[in-house]
Amino acid sequence: QVQLVQSGAEVKEPGSSVKVSCKVSGGISSSYTITWVRQGPGQGLEWMGRIIPIIGTPNYAQTFQGRVTISADTSTSTAYMELSSLRSEDTAVYYCARVTGKGMDVWGQGTTVTVSS
Amino acid sequence: QSVLTQPPSVSGAPGQRVTISCTGSSSNIGAGYDVHWYQQLPGTAPKLLVYGNINRPSGVPDRFSDSKSDTSASLAITGLQAEDEADYYCQSYDSSLSGYVFGTGTKVTVL
């Protein structure tokens, strides 16, 4: 059974960048997409972008264009999400999820990113 | 901001039936894209609850079902149980935004 395991919590200063990893146990396949979703404190789910790991071309939500970079390393079965120019409003839990024809069917445990000076 | 609109909260007594609406537009639900539903218990990651049209992952009870019409979708929970108290989100794809979109989320309270 596929599992997504994310890197640990991060505390960052405003203006810096954060890179969150998402390791896919069971290997990366061409049959699905890895997507990133964030959730601010007490807020709803917000889609950030996605990548088909085998192909490598990402697709980003307009809200995050120019600030987010999603990538994947098939040799280590790991996907990454890097967010730059951090501000306090980026404080959130960041999730990776596998997307198949059944929707986002497997989720990582979430990574808390706190932006504070 | 979310392009799929849900009621902020719904509530019901144990055993009752509740429904959660998800209103979209012609560029997402109305365009025929699948709608999926997720359940999020406090402090945990979302979990896929219902996908496509009335499909449930293994282990999800048949008390959960969905429907779709025009630019809207609905999730129904029958035989409401205390363990159903959670936040629920709909999700689809939007052709104008060229990406996935989520609903605003609905908190279900069991009275």
Side-chain angles (χ1 to χ4, degrees):
Chain A
Q1 182 157 347
V2 172
Q3 286 187 308
L4 305 184
V5 179
Q6 300 182 222
S7 49
E10 302 263 13
V11 178
K12 294 291 183 180
E13 292 195 346
S16 67
S17 299
V18 67
K19 191 169 186 177
V20 180
S21 67
C22 171
K23 186 169 177 63
V24 184
S25 69
I28 283 181
S29 164
S30 60
S31 62
Y32 57 78
T33 297
I34 295 293
T35 197
W36 290 87
V37 175
R38 80 174 184 182
Q39 186 172 37
Q43 302 298 309
L45 302 174
E46 183 177 24
W47 181 70
M48 301 181 69
R50 60 178 174 171
I51 189 168
I52 301 175
I54 297 297
I55 298 176
T57 303
N59 166 217
Y60 303 126
Q62 294 171 5
T63 305
F64 298 97
Q65 283 278 3
R67 273 213 307 148
V68 69
T69 302
I70 293 174
S71 58
D73 183 343
T74 54
S75 68
T76 60
S77 299
T78 304
Y80 300 92
M81 185 285 299
E82 183 171 21
L83 188 62
S84 63
S85 302
L86 291 170
R87 37 208 187 227
S88 58
E89 309 89 89
D90 294 318
T91 293
V93 178
Y94 291 77
Y95 295 102
C96 61
R98 184 183 77 164
V99 185
T100 66
K102 300 177 180 180
M104 300 175 188
D105 62 348
V106 181
W107 291 69
Q109 81 276 21
T111 297
T112 299
V113 175
T114 303
V115 182
S116 174
S117 54
Chain B
Q1 68 279 15
S2 302
V3 299
L4 303 180
T5 303
Q6 301 178 230
S9 64
V10 299
S11 61
Q16 283 191 329
R17 178 179 187 270
V18 297
T19 61
I20 301 169
S21 60
C22 173
T23 303
S25 67
S26 59
S27 61
N28 42 68
I29 299 175
Y33 294 108
D34 282 341
V35 178
H36 312 296
W37 292 88
Y38 303 87
Q39 177 192 59
Q40 187 177 33
L41 298 170
T44 69
K47 166 192 161 186
L48 180 64
L49 193 66
V50 178
Y51 64 91
N53 192 24
I54 318 181
N55 296 294
R56 289 177 298 275
S58 173
V60 175
D62 60 7
R63 301 186 294 102
F64 296 92
S65 63
D66 73 336
S67 62
K68 193 168 78 166
S69 177
D70 296 329
T71 58
S72 296
S74 293
L75 175 73
I77 310 174
T78 57
L80 195 63
Q81 298 182 5
E83 67 205 50
D84 299 332
E85 198 159 276
D87 293 323
Y88 293 81
Y89 295 89
C90 59
Q91 177 258 311
S92 186
Y93 180 85
D94 190 285
S95 57
S96 295
L97 299 174
S98 298
Y100 300 122
V101 288
F102 283 98
T104 48
T106 298
K107 181 174 181 60
V108 170
T109 300
V110 182
L111 302 173

